[in-house]
Amino acid sequence: MLITKTTGDELTPEESKLIDELLKLCGKKRTRNLLRNRYYDGKVLAKNLGVSLPNNLVSLTEVCSGWGAKAVDALAVRSRFDGFAYPGRIEDPLTSVLRENNFYDLYRQTTTSELTNSCAFLTVSAGDPDEDEPHVIISAYSARNAAALWDSRKKRIKAGIVITKYSDTPSLSGLLQAPITLKPPTAVILYTDTDTIECSLAGRAWRVTRTENNFGRPLMEALIYKPTLEKPFGTSRISRASMSIIDRAIRCAVRMDIAAEFFSAPQKYLLGGEEDKVRKQSKWDAYIGNIFGIGRDENGDLPVYGQLPQMQLTPLTEQMRSLAAEFSGETSVPISSLGVIHDNPTSAEAIYAAKEDLIMEAEKLNDTNGNALKNIALIALAIKGECRSIWDMPDKWLGVMPRFRSPARLSMAAQSDALMKQVTAIPWLGETDVVLEELGYTGDQIMRMKSQRISAKAAGTFGEIAQQVADNEQNQTPAQPEGVQ
């Protein structure tokens, strides 16, 4: 069997040390990940420098920014998973697995978490049909609740952990010695090359359930954004530079709100008037234009009434436009998508050029995520086929590759024109499913179209045969003798 589950085991010293190390790593990264999530959720308020914003006014102005979410979502929506493809013309054996795990939505959620926190994790396990579970369970975890160690020699995860439940008490003792800055965990799952170990706290004792596997690797895969040699688990779209620009943009927005409140009413002045009479008028009365009379002064001169010029918000709007351009350069998000008025592109080519950097980012994201999804698919296929290892699977399954829809999102007319030219140059391309995929049809739509095409072709062939049989019977009808009616 591929997996063997046992209950009541104890952790080895190496496994306890590994759990402790991974939980320390998770606790170390958790604070920073929570900060990035606050930027994504728009919950970061103005950071006052104490120069131009009064403290009492900053506390009253709850101005926030959605640029953090825009940096993540603008790229996430361009990475659209569209199922798996295999060599030859075979149906996807993972169709039911993807449907039961709602994997298309799960991938979109995982990608959002990946771009926010630099990485996210997918795990695979065998389900229990007796408990009304799918035969194969694919789960996703954000970097806030999971951590892993990287094996630089094998170019994959060495070991990983996910936290599935936290305690309401401030501290625990026993299995977990790692300092956790927030609520300590009461249920964790450890993934190693040979086992998947579930640890849950029952009272003051830990219950350990061990699931052995023959894969030779953890049943855990990381989706990583822009990995490097120094940072194998990637970097976040909400980088330090992005957070700094967002902070400056929020302060600029606060100054705009305060300026609009102060200078929405024109500033008036009165020179040479009787102060007692002026003081009797409230500021609101002066603003709405109530008539008040003031006599001449002791020298017989009339008082001088005037109005100060109103403050213009143009310098602040120009600063906001400059910050939007800086943020666009940092994240490749078109400046027009940041809610800032900018020069409109004059052609479809100009519009595409404005999004070219973001499209290239999406293509790189699909490449790195595709490698992780291929490993997830191989593990899921092995579990579904009840193979002893990945290499015991049928050869036709080993070539599985994830399929993504084009991130460019060209217009249907432009895409059709380009494909027409390619099919004209290479006619046999028209016989492949790739052309339909490039036109934007999903895997389900392609299957339906092919099925209906086969049915229509079979119906047409049957009609031709029936007509031919009828013609033959008519031709073979013996001629009647003359005079017989």
Side-chain angles (χ1 to χ4, degrees), residues 5 25 78 89 93 185 231 238 254 293 299 334 392 415 450 452:
K5 179 179 289 188
L25 177 62
R78 291 187 177 273
R89 295 179 177 270
K231 296 181 178 180
I238 306 178
V254 171
N299 296 325
D392 289 338
Q415 188 77 348
K450 292 172 64 177
Q452 293 176 12

Side-chain angles (χ1 to χ4, degrees), residues 406-442:
S406 173
R409 294 192 177 186
L410 298 176
S411 65
M412 183 63 72
Q415 188 77 348
S416 301
D417 182 64
L419 287 174
M420 180 63 69
K421 294 177 180 178
Q422 296 178 43
V423 172
T424 302
I426 311 175
W428 58 266
L429 283 179
E431 303 175 4
T432 66
D433 293 343
V434 177
V435 174
L436 297 176
E437 294 171 3
E438 291 297 322
L439 286 174
Y441 295 104
T442 64

Side-chain angles (χ1 to χ4, degrees), residues 477-485:
T477 301
Q480 296 182 353
E482 295 182 2
V484 177
Q485 296 182 353

